[in-house]
Amino acid sequence: MSDQLERYLDFRFGEEVHRRDFLRLGLTTAGMLALAACGGDNGAGTTSDNSAAGPDFKVGMVVPQSKTYAALGQSLHDGFLLYLDKVGGKAGGRKIVVMQGDEEDNLPAAQKATQALVEQQNVDMICGYVASPIADALCTQYLAPQKIPTLVMNAGVNALSRAHKSPYVYRTSFTNWQPTHPMGDYLNNQGVKKITLAYAKYGAGIETAASFKETFKGQIVAEVATDWPSTVDFSSAISKISAAGADVYSFYSGQDAINFFKQAKQVGLFDKIKFYGSGFAVEQDVLQAIPDAVPVGAVTGLHWAYGLDVKENNDFKTAFQKKYNRQADVFAVQGYDTAHVVVDALNAVKGKLDKGSPDPFMQAIAAVTFKSPRGDFKFDSNSHNPDQSIYVRELKKTSSGLVNTVLQTVPHVVDPGQ
Ligand code: PHB
């Protein structure tokens, strides 16, 4: 992990939860827990063939239900439930029940939600986390030390695949290094010589910028980092980007991306310069919210593309649209794949997971492989993170709406974590 990020994490702790108080906080927080969906219902009213003999398998899901990344949390949750539908809501002879807590966009809230699920609801495992500093802190200081099986569903913080790696924490999404690393080479090959880096100034944005610098050979003419999650007014960032005059490489997501693009559109910023970045900024959550303000022609890197034309993706997009009446996005894919991992692992151990001795279940998680909407899914054993393709995508306006289409596939992009 970079010194800069390490300092950032220390700052966040100092600001909100002092490290030594961490484990003492939030022990009586049942009130804020939002209990939600039950995986046993397949949406068609045909819950199961009642062969779920064991006790319910309780998944505690902590994702944002409010604030900057609320839409991401919704998609993660919805994707997860869609996969459970597919298997009748059970695995290893147990009905899978999902209990939710709100990550919001800050550590104290996410910590309370997590502790309530673990200490009051007695969940069997935790799935969740969208924001890097939150996932890093909770996995490293709360979940892993208690050997609570954890699947990180989004947050890309590199450390969880490197210095903070744990046998009890796997990730179904990406590292912040991953979607961007091939993009520097792509821009070099396109002859791009000058870039302005624009990003949210916290773990994910900082690590995205660092990854880009590893491969981009041109000049970084300006670096415009906006406070996160507090920035709503991007006008000064937009002025700086405009003054620098170079194309942009970026990290923004969720409501940040919406605010940034809306304000950039008002001054015609992307009429003059090109938008590159990690692909979250132009995912379907943003495209469906502000179709007229997004930079058509944007070229971004990500581990999935709406336009990826493989059967698993086409089936997934159709089922998601049918159930939720909106387009799927990368976060929905991650939720769907996380449930797939849980189901396959639980089947492999025949429903057996002993609290305090989760090693067989974790080994079953590590061994799961399948065909995902994103392509072949498998964990890299060094980084506990997917060994996956990164797609270089171009945002195109098509007869069926705005679609990220695949320009290039870079196979087996594996985080360098050892
Ligand atoms: C992160 O904080 O790791 C993060 C958040 C939102 C994204 C991607 C990464 O879309």
Side-chain angles (χ1 to χ4, degrees):
M1 180 165 58
S2 71
D3 288 353
Q4 200 182 6
L5 179 63
E6 186 80 68
R7 277 199 302 280
Y8 172 75
L9 288 173
D10 282 344
F11 167 73
R12 295 282 298 177
F13 264 111
E15 187 185 48
E16 292 168 342
V17 186
H18 194 282
R19 276 186 200 276
R20 74 169 174 269
D21 290 331
F22 186 83
L23 289 171
R24 284 192 276 127
L25 263 178
L27 290 171
T28 55
T29 52
M32 48 65 61
L33 180 69
L35 272 182
C38 163
D41 177 5
N42 70 6
T46 54
T47 306
S48 77
D49 58 8
N50 72 31
S51 61
D56 288 357
F57 184 83
K58 295 196 231 171
V59 173
M61 184 179 291
V62 184
V63 293
Q65 296 172 311
S66 60
K67 313 264 172 87
T68 316
Y69 292 150
L72 285 62
Q74 186 71 53
S75 286
L76 287 162
H77 170 268
D78 290 351
F80 195 100
L81 260 61
L82 185 66
Y83 188 79
L84 290 186
D85 286 354
K86 212 174 153 178
V87 295
K90 59 187 192 315
R94 299 174 70 174
K95 179 176 166 192
I96 299 175
V97 176
V98 178
M99 299 171 158
Q100 279 193 273
D102 189 357
E103 176 182 343
E104 299 188 19
D105 58 7
N106 63 83
L107 184 54
Q111 180 185 347
K112 279 184 194 168
T114 305
Q115 287 186 301
L117 289 164
V118 169
E119 295 164 25
Q120 279 136 33
Q121 300 301 322
N122 213 16
V123 294
D124 291 284
M125 72 178 299
I126 290 283
C127 293
Y129 307 120
V130 162
S132 279
I134 292 172
D136 194 26
L138 289 170
C139 290
T140 311
Q141 299 192 39
Y142 181 72
L143 296 164
Q146 299 183 76
K147 300 191 181 177
I148 294 167
T150 300
L151 286 173
V152 174
M153 293 168 80
N154 182 73
V157 56
N158 293 338
L160 285 179
S161 291
R162 304 182 190 180
H164 296 170
K165 194 170 64 174
S166 157
Y168 306 107
V169 179
Y170 278 69
R171 171 163 42 199
T172 50
S173 51
F174 54 88
T175 65
N176 291 324
W177 176 92
Q178 237 174 352
T180 284
H181 204 256
M183 290 301 289
D185 287 331
Y186 179 83
L187 266 66
N188 296 334
N189 292 336
Q190 296 300 305
V192 178
K193 300 279 186 242
K194 290 183 177 187
I195 278 292
T196 294
L197 283 170
Y199 56 89
K201 192 174 28 169
Y202 82 106
I206 293 167
E207 291 188 331
T208 296
S211 176
F212 184 73
K213 287 176 191 168
E214 284 182 25
T215 47
F216 181 61
K217 293 196 171 65
Q219 188 193 354
I220 310 286
V221 296
E223 208 156 324
V224 180
T226 42
D227 287 341
W228 184 91
S230 57
T231 304
V232 220
D233 179 357
F234 285 87
S235 56
S236 105
I238 287 166
S239 301
K240 286 181 196 150
I241 294 167
S242 180
D247 294 342
V248 162
Y249 193 89
S250 65
F251 171 88
Y252 295 115
S253 184
Q255 192 59 43
D256 275 352
I258 291 175
N259 293 344
F260 175 76
F261 286 138
K262 268 180 150 165
Q263 292 163 35
K265 178 78 180 175
Q266 282 164 14
V267 295
L269 182 69
F270 295 114
D271 299 342
K272 291 172 253 163
I273 64 177
K274 196 164 168 87
F275 185 87
Y276 298 99
S278 60
F280 308 106
V282 287
E283 267 306 292
Q284 258 64 27
D285 58 318
V286 175
L287 302 180
Q288 290 171 103
I290 47 161
D292 297 328
V294 292
V296 175
V299 174
T300 59
L302 209 61
H303 48 292
W304 179 74
Y306 194 85
L308 181 64
D309 189 15
V310 295
K311 181 178 181 325
E312 291 76 21
N313 195 32
N314 293 331
D315 292 351
F316 163 75
K317 286 187 301 185
T318 307
F320 191 92
Q321 179 87 46
K322 184 163 174 233
K323 179 165 185 187
Y324 300 110
N325 197 26
R326 70 180 201 276
Q327 289 179 325
D329 53 35
V330 72
F331 313 106
V333 176
Q334 292 165 190
Y336 190 76
D337 286 352
T338 306
H340 197 153
V341 170
V342 172
V343 164
D344 282 10
L346 205 51
N347 280 331
V349 296
K350 301 195 165 41
K352 196 166 151 49
L353 167 56
D354 291 332
K355 291 249 167 69
S357 310
D359 291 22
F361 183 61
M362 293 314 299
Q363 281 150 18
I365 284 180
V368 169
T369 61
F370 55 87
K371 291 220 172 288
S372 152
R374 71 179 93 172
D376 291 332
F377 184 97
K378 74 167 195 229
F379 288 108
D380 165 52
S381 58
N382 287 322
S383 54
H384 295 189
N385 182 71
D387 165 348
Q388 59 194 344
S389 295
I390 295 299
Y391 303 101
V392 180
R393 311 129 18 113
E394 182 176 11
L395 180 57
K396 287 192 175 148
K397 210 169 226 166
T398 71
S399 52
S400 45
L402 290 160
V403 176
N404 283 298
T405 56
V406 177
L407 290 179
Q408 200 176 301
T409 302
V410 186
H412 299 296
V413 180
V414 178
D415 189 90
Q418 284 300 324

